[in-house]
Amino acid sequence: MSRKVTFKTLFLISQRDANARKLDLSQQTLLLGSNGTGKSRITKNLFWVFGCNPPKRNVGNWDSETIGALELSFDGKDYFVLRQGSRLGLFLDGRLLFGAQKMSEWSRHIARTFGYRLQLPRPKGDRFDQAGMDYLTLPFYMDQDGSWGASWDTYENLGQFKAWKKPVFESFIGLKPNAYFEAKQKRDELSVVLNEKRKELDAQAAAFRRVAEILPEDVPTLNPQTFRDELAELGRQAADTYNIQVKTRAKLLTVMAAREQMRAELQLAGAAHKELSSDIVYLSDLPPGPIECPTCGVQHENSFHARLTLSQDADTMAALVAELQARSDELRAEEESFRSQLSEIARTIADFDRTAQERKADLALSELLAAQSRRTLDEAFHRVALEIKVNLTDLEAQERELKAHAKQFLDKHRIKTVQEYFSNAVATFSQTLNVPSDEQVSKVIPGDRAEAGGSSAPRSMLAVHLGLLSTNAEYGDCPLFPFVIDTPQQSGQDEKNLRKMIEVAGRVASANHQVILAIETLPADLDISSFTVVPFEKSHGALLKEDFPAVAGVIRGPLTLLNEALGFEGGSRKQIGRTGAQDS
């Protein structure tokens, strides 16, 4: 399997402005132009089409509804990825492989395409979800507005997971390879099933215990033969009544166990509905616009769509609560019916008891029946518990196997080797890029940013990225995406150091990656013969009038397929590139 990802052609189109861009990308592409000519718009959209959110993509007069698409090759296949707002789709040979409007769904689909198995914890609770393209592509992109500082701010939505840096970068360089996280994911999923089974066993035990509390506490040990001998003269009528009572008690036991389970489910569903309703009320009281999460600082959009989605979820949960309540009421009615039947049977048994007393029986019939009921109850619980315990035993064995499988990827010698390789790579690149020795970190931990200051800081940042890429190529198993650098002229780089940054990045990264650079000015005598130069000469020139018809022709078909698959009538809201189009 080839790990290399090659970007072939980027397509951008603005229906509002009737502008577009068709940009063919070579193995080494140089976007060259002065400040404000649109180079950064291009680099940001290279990763935006995958679902990432680079900062300041929509600033200025940029059409926020611009549609992006990218032709790329990976593992011997040519893919086409398309994004329109929150709608994303992946195509192969003109066929829509999958589309999504929720980013979590898209992340799960696209991660499978690129073999990315990393699961990360959400800020609240213990729920893990698939890490998306913004985490996978983080080392491959140096954004002008978010990648040259002291924090990892390349994308705006990195706060969607907590404690993400360590696992993201350890998996990237192969310190803990993808195979480890895949095994760990399976183990974690199995642990959830195990916990559910344990809760089920506890719930069954609680239900049987409640039924047992109904029976008399002190009952004799029942000898069935003695019981038959003592009640022989009562005849077949007493035996039939006893059998009816046993069956009725068994039915009551089943109903009570079901009610206990239903009560727990109803509490969970009710709590979920209450929380959704509270969220709707909260959002309704706020004006439209972004809302900052108080926990992670992520900006969420308080839009009609967001409230509509919450409302639909609340309606669905309300329907579930009503359904559970209806079933609970049915079970309560069944329980009352069985109790009424047992009361009637008890009266009949009382008559038998009086007959037995008259015949000087040693034991009251009610005591014998209570003893038999308790024994029946114990046997029923044993059968139910045994089945669950067998399942638990099997699941625990599988869990041990998965733990052992994941542990084999945590070889201490290998971890030390990879860590040293990464640290040495960063040190070597720092020295090559003229980062002062006193500003270099002796041992770099995956996820650390550079600690250099002044004009040395951007070169130190570049050294970290090159170290990540080199270590991934040597020990990792992540895809090798193109290395995209936007505006290395940071912190007043002089020509000597700027030349060094371009030369080192081009030479080192191009060994395993496609390289795309966006540069304002070139140092004198810089050899760019290996690069295909794309000039940007017009102010705000990311999109062009002359590219509009060709790009519209490429985008129209896939966009229609995507919108139809996602349930938008008429395929797309507007017929791209057609004069006088109406909203569908």
PDB file of all heavy atoms in Angstrom, residues 67-68 80-91 95-101 106 555-568 571-572:
ATOM      1  N   ILE A  67     -17.699  27.151  -2.897  1.00  0.00           N
ATOM      2  CA  ILE A  67     -17.646  25.684  -2.915  1.00  0.00           C
ATOM      3  C   ILE A  67     -16.229  25.266  -3.290  1.00  0.00           C
ATOM      4  O   ILE A  67     -15.595  25.869  -4.164  1.00  0.00           O
ATOM      5  CB  ILE A  67     -18.653  25.122  -3.929  1.00  0.00           C
ATOM      6  CG1 ILE A  67     -20.073  25.581  -3.563  1.00  0.00           C
ATOM      7  CG2 ILE A  67     -18.580  23.601  -3.993  1.00  0.00           C
ATOM      8  CD1 ILE A  67     -21.089  25.312  -4.646  1.00  0.00           C
ATOM      9  N   GLY A  68     -15.725  24.255  -2.620  1.00  0.00           N
ATOM     10  CA  GLY A  68     -14.379  23.765  -2.894  1.00  0.00           C
ATOM     11  C   GLY A  68     -14.385  22.286  -3.256  1.00  0.00           C
ATOM     12  O   GLY A  68     -15.215  21.515  -2.777  1.00  0.00           O
ATOM     13  N   PHE A  80     -12.117  12.316  -5.499  1.00  0.00           N
ATOM     14  CA  PHE A  80     -12.600  13.687  -5.690  1.00  0.00           C
ATOM     15  C   PHE A  80     -13.368  14.042  -4.427  1.00  0.00           C
ATOM     16  O   PHE A  80     -14.382  13.414  -4.117  1.00  0.00           O
ATOM     17  CB  PHE A  80     -13.500  13.763  -6.928  1.00  0.00           C
ATOM     18  CG  PHE A  80     -13.976  15.154  -7.285  1.00  0.00           C
ATOM     19  CD1 PHE A  80     -13.210  15.981  -8.094  1.00  0.00           C
ATOM     20  CD2 PHE A  80     -15.203  15.621  -6.832  1.00  0.00           C
ATOM     21  CE1 PHE A  80     -13.659  17.249  -8.440  1.00  0.00           C
ATOM     22  CE2 PHE A  80     -15.659  16.886  -7.177  1.00  0.00           C
ATOM     23  CZ  PHE A  80     -14.878  17.704  -7.989  1.00  0.00           C
ATOM     24  N   VAL A  81     -12.871  15.013  -3.666  1.00  0.00           N
ATOM     25  CA  VAL A  81     -13.540  15.415  -2.434  1.00  0.00           C
ATOM     26  C   VAL A  81     -14.163  16.787  -2.653  1.00  0.00           C
ATOM     27  O   VAL A  81     -13.559  17.661  -3.284  1.00  0.00           O
ATOM     28  CB  VAL A  81     -12.564  15.431  -1.232  1.00  0.00           C
ATOM     29  CG1 VAL A  81     -11.425  16.397  -1.444  1.00  0.00           C
ATOM     30  CG2 VAL A  81     -13.295  15.761   0.063  1.00  0.00           C
ATOM     31  N   LEU A  82     -15.395  16.968  -2.160  1.00  0.00           N
ATOM     32  CA  LEU A  82     -16.146  18.197  -2.424  1.00  0.00           C
ATOM     33  C   LEU A  82     -16.776  18.687  -1.131  1.00  0.00           C
ATOM     34  O   LEU A  82     -17.269  17.892  -0.319  1.00  0.00           O
ATOM     35  CB  LEU A  82     -17.218  17.933  -3.482  1.00  0.00           C
ATOM     36  CG  LEU A  82     -18.078  19.116  -3.946  1.00  0.00           C
ATOM     37  CD1 LEU A  82     -18.440  18.966  -5.420  1.00  0.00           C
ATOM     38  CD2 LEU A  82     -19.359  19.245  -3.117  1.00  0.00           C
ATOM     39  N   ARG A  83     -16.765  20.030  -0.975  1.00  0.00           N
ATOM     40  CA  ARG A  83     -17.398  20.602   0.220  1.00  0.00           C
ATOM     41  C   ARG A  83     -18.201  21.836  -0.165  1.00  0.00           C
ATOM     42  O   ARG A  83     -17.723  22.727  -0.873  1.00  0.00           O
ATOM     43  CB  ARG A  83     -16.352  20.975   1.275  1.00  0.00           C
ATOM     44  CG  ARG A  83     -16.972  21.564   2.552  1.00  0.00           C
ATOM     45  CD  ARG A  83     -15.952  21.831   3.631  1.00  0.00           C
ATOM     46  NE  ARG A  83     -16.585  22.315   4.851  1.00  0.00           N
ATOM     47  CZ  ARG A  83     -15.935  22.645   5.974  1.00  0.00           C
ATOM     48  NH1 ARG A  83     -14.606  22.522   6.017  1.00  0.00           N
ATOM     49  NH2 ARG A  83     -16.589  23.084   7.026  1.00  0.00           N
ATOM     50  N   GLN A  84     -19.431  21.865   0.328  1.00  0.00           N
ATOM     51  CA  GLN A  84     -20.293  23.040   0.211  1.00  0.00           C
ATOM     52  C   GLN A  84     -20.825  23.340   1.603  1.00  0.00           C
ATOM     53  O   GLN A  84     -21.732  22.683   2.087  1.00  0.00           O
ATOM     54  CB  GLN A  84     -21.451  22.795  -0.763  1.00  0.00           C
ATOM     55  CG  GLN A  84     -22.377  23.999  -0.914  1.00  0.00           C
ATOM     56  CD  GLN A  84     -23.612  23.697  -1.754  1.00  0.00           C
ATOM     57  OE1 GLN A  84     -24.078  22.558  -1.783  1.00  0.00           O
ATOM     58  NE2 GLN A  84     -24.143  24.692  -2.429  1.00  0.00           N
ATOM     59  N   GLY A  85     -20.255  24.310   2.279  1.00  0.00           N
ATOM     60  CA  GLY A  85     -20.663  24.615   3.650  1.00  0.00           C
ATOM     61  C   GLY A  85     -20.394  23.446   4.567  1.00  0.00           C
ATOM     62  O   GLY A  85     -19.250  23.010   4.733  1.00  0.00           O
ATOM     63  N   SER A  86     -21.469  22.923   5.151  1.00  0.00           N
ATOM     64  CA  SER A  86     -21.317  21.789   6.066  1.00  0.00           C
ATOM     65  C   SER A  86     -21.501  20.454   5.367  1.00  0.00           C
ATOM     66  O   SER A  86     -21.425  19.404   6.006  1.00  0.00           O
ATOM     67  CB  SER A  86     -22.344  21.902   7.202  1.00  0.00           C
ATOM     68  OG  SER A  86     -23.663  21.856   6.685  1.00  0.00           O
ATOM     69  N   ARG A  87     -21.744  20.478   4.059  1.00  0.00           N
ATOM     70  CA  ARG A  87     -21.953  19.239   3.309  1.00  0.00           C
ATOM     71  C   ARG A  87     -20.654  18.813   2.635  1.00  0.00           C
ATOM     72  O   ARG A  87     -20.018  19.610   1.944  1.00  0.00           O
ATOM     73  CB  ARG A  87     -23.049  19.430   2.258  1.00  0.00           C
ATOM     74  CG  ARG A  87     -24.451  19.379   2.831  1.00  0.00           C
ATOM     75  CD  ARG A  87     -25.464  19.871   1.825  1.00  0.00           C
ATOM     76  NE  ARG A  87     -25.663  21.311   1.961  1.00  0.00           N
ATOM     77  CZ  ARG A  87     -26.298  22.058   1.067  1.00  0.00           C
ATOM     78  NH1 ARG A  87     -26.769  21.516  -0.032  1.00  0.00           N
ATOM     79  NH2 ARG A  87     -26.456  23.343   1.285  1.00  0.00           N
ATOM     80  N   LEU A  88     -20.295  17.543   2.852  1.00  0.00           N
ATOM     81  CA  LEU A  88     -19.060  17.023   2.289  1.00  0.00           C
ATOM     82  C   LEU A  88     -19.311  15.677   1.628  1.00  0.00           C
ATOM     83  O   LEU A  88     -20.157  14.903   2.077  1.00  0.00           O
ATOM     84  CB  LEU A  88     -17.984  16.854   3.372  1.00  0.00           C
ATOM     85  CG  LEU A  88     -17.557  18.116   4.119  1.00  0.00           C
ATOM     86  CD1 LEU A  88     -18.231  18.145   5.486  1.00  0.00           C
ATOM     87  CD2 LEU A  88     -16.057  18.188   4.293  1.00  0.00           C
ATOM     88  N   GLY A  89     -18.559  15.423   0.560  1.00  0.00           N
ATOM     89  CA  GLY A  89     -18.714  14.144  -0.126  1.00  0.00           C
ATOM     90  C   GLY A  89     -17.391  13.674  -0.702  1.00  0.00           C
ATOM     91  O   GLY A  89     -16.528  14.473  -1.068  1.00  0.00           O
ATOM     92  N   LEU A  90     -17.230  12.360  -0.775  1.00  0.00           N
ATOM     93  CA  LEU A  90     -16.039  11.758  -1.380  1.00  0.00           C
ATOM     94  C   LEU A  90     -16.492  10.902  -2.560  1.00  0.00           C
ATOM     95  O   LEU A  90     -17.386  10.067  -2.428  1.00  0.00           O
ATOM     96  CB  LEU A  90     -15.283  10.897  -0.357  1.00  0.00           C
ATOM     97  CG  LEU A  90     -13.961  10.309  -0.870  1.00  0.00           C
ATOM     98  CD1 LEU A  90     -12.928  11.416  -1.070  1.00  0.00           C
ATOM     99  CD2 LEU A  90     -13.415   9.264   0.098  1.00  0.00           C
ATOM    100  N   PHE A  91     -15.835  11.110  -3.711  1.00  0.00           N
ATOM    101  CA  PHE A  91     -16.218  10.441  -4.953  1.00  0.00           C
ATOM    102  C   PHE A  91     -15.048   9.612  -5.467  1.00  0.00           C
ATOM    103  O   PHE A  91     -13.878   9.944  -5.250  1.00  0.00           O
ATOM    104  CB  PHE A  91     -16.593  11.469  -6.020  1.00  0.00           C
ATOM    105  CG  PHE A  91     -17.779  12.332  -5.668  1.00  0.00           C
ATOM    106  CD1 PHE A  91     -17.650  13.409  -4.790  1.00  0.00           C
ATOM    107  CD2 PHE A  91     -19.025  12.071  -6.208  1.00  0.00           C
ATOM    108  CE1 PHE A  91     -18.739  14.204  -4.463  1.00  0.00           C
ATOM    109  CE2 PHE A  91     -20.120  12.861  -5.889  1.00  0.00           C
ATOM    110  CZ  PHE A  91     -19.977  13.928  -5.015  1.00  0.00           C
ATOM    111  N   ARG A  95     -18.559   8.159  -8.839  1.00  0.00           N
ATOM    112  CA  ARG A  95     -19.545   7.631  -7.896  1.00  0.00           C
ATOM    113  C   ARG A  95     -19.350   8.274  -6.532  1.00  0.00           C
ATOM    114  O   ARG A  95     -18.222   8.456  -6.084  1.00  0.00           O
ATOM    115  CB  ARG A  95     -19.417   6.117  -7.754  1.00  0.00           C
ATOM    116  CG  ARG A  95     -19.706   5.316  -9.005  1.00  0.00           C
ATOM    117  CD  ARG A  95     -19.538   3.818  -8.747  1.00  0.00           C
ATOM    118  NE  ARG A  95     -18.168   3.461  -8.411  1.00  0.00           N
ATOM    119  CZ  ARG A  95     -17.735   3.164  -7.200  1.00  0.00           C
ATOM    120  NH1 ARG A  95     -18.567   3.166  -6.167  1.00  0.00           N
ATOM    121  NH2 ARG A  95     -16.478   2.837  -6.998  1.00  0.00           N
ATOM    122  N   LEU A  96     -20.458   8.620  -5.895  1.00  0.00           N
ATOM    123  CA  LEU A  96     -20.396   9.145  -4.538  1.00  0.00           C
ATOM    124  C   LEU A  96     -20.194   7.982  -3.574  1.00  0.00           C
ATOM    125  O   LEU A  96     -21.081   7.147  -3.393  1.00  0.00           O
ATOM    126  CB  LEU A  96     -21.690   9.904  -4.189  1.00  0.00           C
ATOM    127  CG  LEU A  96     -21.779  10.443  -2.758  1.00  0.00           C
ATOM    128  CD1 LEU A  96     -20.705  11.501  -2.513  1.00  0.00           C
ATOM    129  CD2 LEU A  96     -23.168  11.029  -2.487  1.00  0.00           C
ATOM    130  N   LEU A  97     -19.000   7.920  -2.958  1.00  0.00           N
ATOM    131  CA  LEU A  97     -18.737   6.858  -1.982  1.00  0.00           C
ATOM    132  C   LEU A  97     -19.518   7.103  -0.698  1.00  0.00           C
ATOM    133  O   LEU A  97     -20.114   6.184  -0.129  1.00  0.00           O
ATOM    134  CB  LEU A  97     -17.238   6.788  -1.679  1.00  0.00           C
ATOM    135  CG  LEU A  97     -16.325   6.411  -2.845  1.00  0.00           C
ATOM    136  CD1 LEU A  97     -14.880   6.365  -2.384  1.00  0.00           C
ATOM    137  CD2 LEU A  97     -16.740   5.074  -3.452  1.00  0.00           C
ATOM    138  N   PHE A  98     -19.526   8.317  -0.237  1.00  0.00           N
ATOM    139  CA  PHE A  98     -20.310   8.685   0.937  1.00  0.00           C
ATOM    140  C   PHE A  98     -20.395  10.203   1.022  1.00  0.00           C
ATOM    141  O   PHE A  98     -19.549  10.925   0.504  1.00  0.00           O
ATOM    142  CB  PHE A  98     -19.728   8.112   2.244  1.00  0.00           C
ATOM    143  CG  PHE A  98     -18.307   8.507   2.514  1.00  0.00           C
ATOM    144  CD1 PHE A  98     -17.981   9.723   3.079  1.00  0.00           C
ATOM    145  CD2 PHE A  98     -17.271   7.632   2.209  1.00  0.00           C
ATOM    146  CE1 PHE A  98     -16.673  10.074   3.333  1.00  0.00           C
ATOM    147  CE2 PHE A  98     -15.950   7.974   2.453  1.00  0.00           C
ATOM    148  CZ  PHE A  98     -15.652   9.207   3.023  1.00  0.00           C
ATOM    149  N   GLY A  99     -21.451  10.662   1.651  1.00  0.00           N
ATOM    150  CA  GLY A  99     -21.632  12.085   1.908  1.00  0.00           C
ATOM    151  C   GLY A  99     -22.112  12.273   3.327  1.00  0.00           C
ATOM    152  O   GLY A  99     -22.677  11.358   3.929  1.00  0.00           O
ATOM    153  N   ALA A 100     -21.903  13.453   3.865  1.00  0.00           N
ATOM    154  CA  ALA A 100     -22.317  13.723   5.249  1.00  0.00           C
ATOM    155  C   ALA A 100     -22.536  15.208   5.430  1.00  0.00           C
ATOM    156  O   ALA A 100     -21.936  16.038   4.737  1.00  0.00           O
ATOM    157  CB  ALA A 100     -21.271  13.214   6.239  1.00  0.00           C
ATOM    158  N   GLN A 101     -23.425  15.517   6.365  1.00  0.00           N
ATOM    159  CA  GLN A 101     -23.633  16.914   6.730  1.00  0.00           C
ATOM    160  C   GLN A 101     -23.215  17.166   8.175  1.00  0.00           C
ATOM    161  O   GLN A 101     -23.005  18.306   8.565  1.00  0.00           O
ATOM    162  CB  GLN A 101     -25.102  17.297   6.528  1.00  0.00           C
ATOM    163  CG  GLN A 101     -25.353  18.794   6.595  1.00  0.00           C
ATOM    164  CD  GLN A 101     -26.732  19.163   6.115  1.00  0.00           C
ATOM    165  OE1 GLN A 101     -27.587  18.307   5.920  1.00  0.00           O
ATOM    166  NE2 GLN A 101     -26.975  20.439   5.904  1.00  0.00           N
ATOM    167  N   TRP A 106     -18.809  12.533   8.935  1.00  0.00           N
ATOM    168  CA  TRP A 106     -17.771  12.681   7.908  1.00  0.00           C
ATOM    169  C   TRP A 106     -16.432  12.168   8.431  1.00  0.00           C
ATOM    170  O   TRP A 106     -15.697  11.476   7.711  1.00  0.00           O
ATOM    171  CB  TRP A 106     -17.666  14.138   7.497  1.00  0.00           C
ATOM    172  CG  TRP A 106     -16.496  14.431   6.606  1.00  0.00           C
ATOM    173  CD1 TRP A 106     -15.320  15.036   6.961  1.00  0.00           C
ATOM    174  CD2 TRP A 106     -16.367  14.127   5.203  1.00  0.00           C
ATOM    175  NE1 TRP A 106     -14.481  15.141   5.882  1.00  0.00           N
ATOM    176  CE2 TRP A 106     -15.096  14.592   4.798  1.00  0.00           C
ATOM    177  CE3 TRP A 106     -17.200  13.524   4.277  1.00  0.00           C
ATOM    178  CZ2 TRP A 106     -14.644  14.449   3.487  1.00  0.00           C
ATOM    179  CZ3 TRP A 106     -16.749  13.391   2.973  1.00  0.00           C
ATOM    180  CH2 TRP A 106     -15.479  13.842   2.587  1.00  0.00           C
ATOM    181  N   ILE A 555     -17.844  20.995 -11.241  1.00  0.00           N
ATOM    182  CA  ILE A 555     -18.485  20.933  -9.926  1.00  0.00           C
ATOM    183  C   ILE A 555     -19.948  20.497 -10.015  1.00  0.00           C
ATOM    184  O   ILE A 555     -20.455  19.795  -9.144  1.00  0.00           O
ATOM    185  CB  ILE A 555     -18.389  22.309  -9.228  1.00  0.00           C
ATOM    186  CG1 ILE A 555     -16.951  22.648  -8.888  1.00  0.00           C
ATOM    187  CG2 ILE A 555     -19.273  22.354  -7.980  1.00  0.00           C
ATOM    188  CD1 ILE A 555     -16.366  21.821  -7.796  1.00  0.00           C
ATOM    189  N   ARG A 556     -20.631  20.894 -11.074  1.00  0.00           N
ATOM    190  CA  ARG A 556     -22.095  20.764 -11.116  1.00  0.00           C
ATOM    191  C   ARG A 556     -22.580  19.335 -10.883  1.00  0.00           C
ATOM    192  O   ARG A 556     -23.462  19.088 -10.050  1.00  0.00           O
ATOM    193  CB  ARG A 556     -22.620  21.278 -12.456  1.00  0.00           C
ATOM    194  CG  ARG A 556     -24.155  21.355 -12.519  1.00  0.00           C
ATOM    195  CD  ARG A 556     -24.610  21.835 -13.891  1.00  0.00           C
ATOM    196  NE  ARG A 556     -24.120  23.171 -14.165  1.00  0.00           N
ATOM    197  CZ  ARG A 556     -23.282  23.494 -15.160  1.00  0.00           C
ATOM    198  NH1 ARG A 556     -22.829  22.536 -15.967  1.00  0.00           N
ATOM    199  NH2 ARG A 556     -22.881  24.730 -15.361  1.00  0.00           N
ATOM    200  N   GLY A 557     -22.013  18.379 -11.586  1.00  0.00           N
ATOM    201  CA  GLY A 557     -22.476  16.991 -11.460  1.00  0.00           C
ATOM    202  C   GLY A 557     -22.276  16.403 -10.078  1.00  0.00           C
ATOM    203  O   GLY A 557     -23.233  15.913  -9.458  1.00  0.00           O
ATOM    204  N   PRO A 558     -21.045  16.403  -9.539  1.00  0.00           N
ATOM    205  CA  PRO A 558     -20.836  15.866  -8.190  1.00  0.00           C
ATOM    206  C   PRO A 558     -21.652  16.579  -7.117  1.00  0.00           C
ATOM    207  O   PRO A 558     -22.150  15.941  -6.188  1.00  0.00           O
ATOM    208  CB  PRO A 558     -19.330  16.061  -7.964  1.00  0.00           C
ATOM    209  CG  PRO A 558     -18.749  16.109  -9.337  1.00  0.00           C
ATOM    210  CD  PRO A 558     -19.777  16.767 -10.195  1.00  0.00           C
ATOM    211  N   LEU A 559     -21.814  17.907  -7.263  1.00  0.00           N
ATOM    212  CA  LEU A 559     -22.577  18.655  -6.261  1.00  0.00           C
ATOM    213  C   LEU A 559     -24.038  18.214  -6.264  1.00  0.00           C
ATOM    214  O   LEU A 559     -24.661  18.068  -5.198  1.00  0.00           O
ATOM    215  CB  LEU A 559     -22.469  20.153  -6.533  1.00  0.00           C
ATOM    216  CG  LEU A 559     -23.173  21.068  -5.529  1.00  0.00           C
ATOM    217  CD1 LEU A 559     -22.585  20.904  -4.135  1.00  0.00           C
ATOM    218  CD2 LEU A 559     -23.089  22.528  -5.965  1.00  0.00           C
ATOM    219  N   THR A 560     -24.587  17.985  -7.452  1.00  0.00           N
ATOM    220  CA  THR A 560     -25.961  17.513  -7.541  1.00  0.00           C
ATOM    221  C   THR A 560     -26.112  16.136  -6.893  1.00  0.00           C
ATOM    222  O   THR A 560     -27.056  15.888  -6.131  1.00  0.00           O
ATOM    223  CB  THR A 560     -26.403  17.448  -9.012  1.00  0.00           C
ATOM    224  OG1 THR A 560     -26.324  18.754  -9.589  1.00  0.00           O
ATOM    225  CG2 THR A 560     -27.838  16.937  -9.126  1.00  0.00           C
ATOM    226  N   LEU A 561     -25.178  15.237  -7.167  1.00  0.00           N
ATOM    227  CA  LEU A 561     -25.226  13.906  -6.549  1.00  0.00           C
ATOM    228  C   LEU A 561     -25.154  13.994  -5.029  1.00  0.00           C
ATOM    229  O   LEU A 561     -25.889  13.289  -4.316  1.00  0.00           O
ATOM    230  CB  LEU A 561     -24.065  13.055  -7.072  1.00  0.00           C
ATOM    231  CG  LEU A 561     -24.142  12.589  -8.528  1.00  0.00           C
ATOM    232  CD1 LEU A 561     -22.860  11.845  -8.900  1.00  0.00           C
ATOM    233  CD2 LEU A 561     -25.357  11.704  -8.750  1.00  0.00           C
ATOM    234  N   LEU A 562     -24.280  14.843  -4.523  1.00  0.00           N
ATOM    235  CA  LEU A 562     -24.119  14.978  -3.076  1.00  0.00           C
ATOM    236  C   LEU A 562     -25.391  15.505  -2.429  1.00  0.00           C
ATOM    237  O   LEU A 562     -25.883  14.951  -1.437  1.00  0.00           O
ATOM    238  CB  LEU A 562     -22.944  15.905  -2.762  1.00  0.00           C
ATOM    239  CG  LEU A 562     -22.733  16.245  -1.282  1.00  0.00           C
ATOM    240  CD1 LEU A 562     -22.420  14.989  -0.481  1.00  0.00           C
ATOM    241  CD2 LEU A 562     -21.619  17.269  -1.111  1.00  0.00           C
ATOM    242  N   ASN A 563     -25.948  16.575  -2.982  1.00  0.00           N
ATOM    243  CA  ASN A 563     -27.129  17.179  -2.369  1.00  0.00           C
ATOM    244  C   ASN A 563     -28.342  16.262  -2.471  1.00  0.00           C
ATOM    245  O   ASN A 563     -29.173  16.209  -1.561  1.00  0.00           O
ATOM    246  CB  ASN A 563     -27.423  18.528  -3.021  1.00  0.00           C
ATOM    247  CG  ASN A 563     -26.462  19.609  -2.554  1.00  0.00           C
ATOM    248  OD1 ASN A 563     -26.043  19.619  -1.405  1.00  0.00           O
ATOM    249  ND2 ASN A 563     -26.099  20.506  -3.446  1.00  0.00           N
ATOM    250  N   GLU A 564     -28.464  15.519  -3.564  1.00  0.00           N
ATOM    251  CA  GLU A 564     -29.556  14.550  -3.662  1.00  0.00           C
ATOM    252  C   GLU A 564     -29.403  13.443  -2.627  1.00  0.00           C
ATOM    253  O   GLU A 564     -30.367  13.010  -2.001  1.00  0.00           O
ATOM    254  CB  GLU A 564     -29.601  13.961  -5.071  1.00  0.00           C
ATOM    255  CG  GLU A 564     -30.131  14.916  -6.128  1.00  0.00           C
ATOM    256  CD  GLU A 564     -30.095  14.314  -7.518  1.00  0.00           C
ATOM    257  OE1 GLU A 564     -29.445  13.252  -7.686  1.00  0.00           O
ATOM    258  OE2 GLU A 564     -30.698  14.900  -8.434  1.00  0.00           O
ATOM    259  N   ALA A 565     -28.160  12.986  -2.423  1.00  0.00           N
ATOM    260  CA  ALA A 565     -27.911  11.926  -1.438  1.00  0.00           C
ATOM    261  C   ALA A 565     -28.217  12.390  -0.022  1.00  0.00           C
ATOM    262  O   ALA A 565     -28.625  11.596   0.830  1.00  0.00           O
ATOM    263  CB  ALA A 565     -26.463  11.454  -1.526  1.00  0.00           C
ATOM    264  N   LEU A 566     -28.037  13.694   0.238  1.00  0.00           N
ATOM    265  CA  LEU A 566     -28.278  14.243   1.577  1.00  0.00           C
ATOM    266  C   LEU A 566     -29.703  14.752   1.743  1.00  0.00           C
ATOM    267  O   LEU A 566     -30.032  15.338   2.767  1.00  0.00           O
ATOM    268  CB  LEU A 566     -27.282  15.368   1.870  1.00  0.00           C
ATOM    269  CG  LEU A 566     -25.810  14.944   1.947  1.00  0.00           C
ATOM    270  CD1 LEU A 566     -24.918  16.152   2.210  1.00  0.00           C
ATOM    271  CD2 LEU A 566     -25.594  13.896   3.033  1.00  0.00           C
ATOM    272  N   GLY A 567     -30.538  14.546   0.701  1.00  0.00           N
ATOM    273  CA  GLY A 567     -31.952  14.864   0.845  1.00  0.00           C
ATOM    274  C   GLY A 567     -32.339  16.272   0.494  1.00  0.00           C
ATOM    275  O   GLY A 567     -33.394  16.756   0.927  1.00  0.00           O
ATOM    276  N   PHE A 568     -31.511  16.969  -0.292  1.00  0.00           N
ATOM    277  CA  PHE A 568     -31.866  18.315  -0.719  1.00  0.00           C
ATOM    278  C   PHE A 568     -32.569  18.223  -2.072  1.00  0.00           C
ATOM    279  O   PHE A 568     -32.002  17.741  -3.051  1.00  0.00           O
ATOM    280  CB  PHE A 568     -30.628  19.210  -0.837  1.00  0.00           C
ATOM    281  CG  PHE A 568     -30.057  19.575   0.494  1.00  0.00           C
ATOM    282  CD1 PHE A 568     -29.126  18.742   1.116  1.00  0.00           C
ATOM    283  CD2 PHE A 568     -30.455  20.718   1.154  1.00  0.00           C
ATOM    284  CE1 PHE A 568     -28.603  19.054   2.342  1.00  0.00           C
ATOM    285  CE2 PHE A 568     -29.930  21.044   2.389  1.00  0.00           C
ATOM    286  CZ  PHE A 568     -29.008  20.219   2.996  1.00  0.00           C
ATOM    287  N   GLY A 571     -31.320  18.504  -5.966  1.00  0.00           N
ATOM    288  CA  GLY A 571     -29.874  18.294  -6.022  1.00  0.00           C
ATOM    289  C   GLY A 571     -29.118  19.398  -5.350  1.00  0.00           C
ATOM    290  O   GLY A 571     -28.585  19.236  -4.275  1.00  0.00           O
ATOM    291  N   SER A 572     -29.001  20.564  -5.946  1.00  0.00           N
ATOM    292  CA  SER A 572     -28.289  21.685  -5.342  1.00  0.00           C
ATOM    293  C   SER A 572     -29.219  22.870  -5.236  1.00  0.00           C
ATOM    294  O   SER A 572     -30.167  23.020  -6.006  1.00  0.00           O
ATOM    295  CB  SER A 572     -27.066  22.068  -6.195  1.00  0.00           C
ATOM    296  OG  SER A 572     -27.469  22.405  -7.500  1.00  0.00           O
TER     297      SER A 572
END
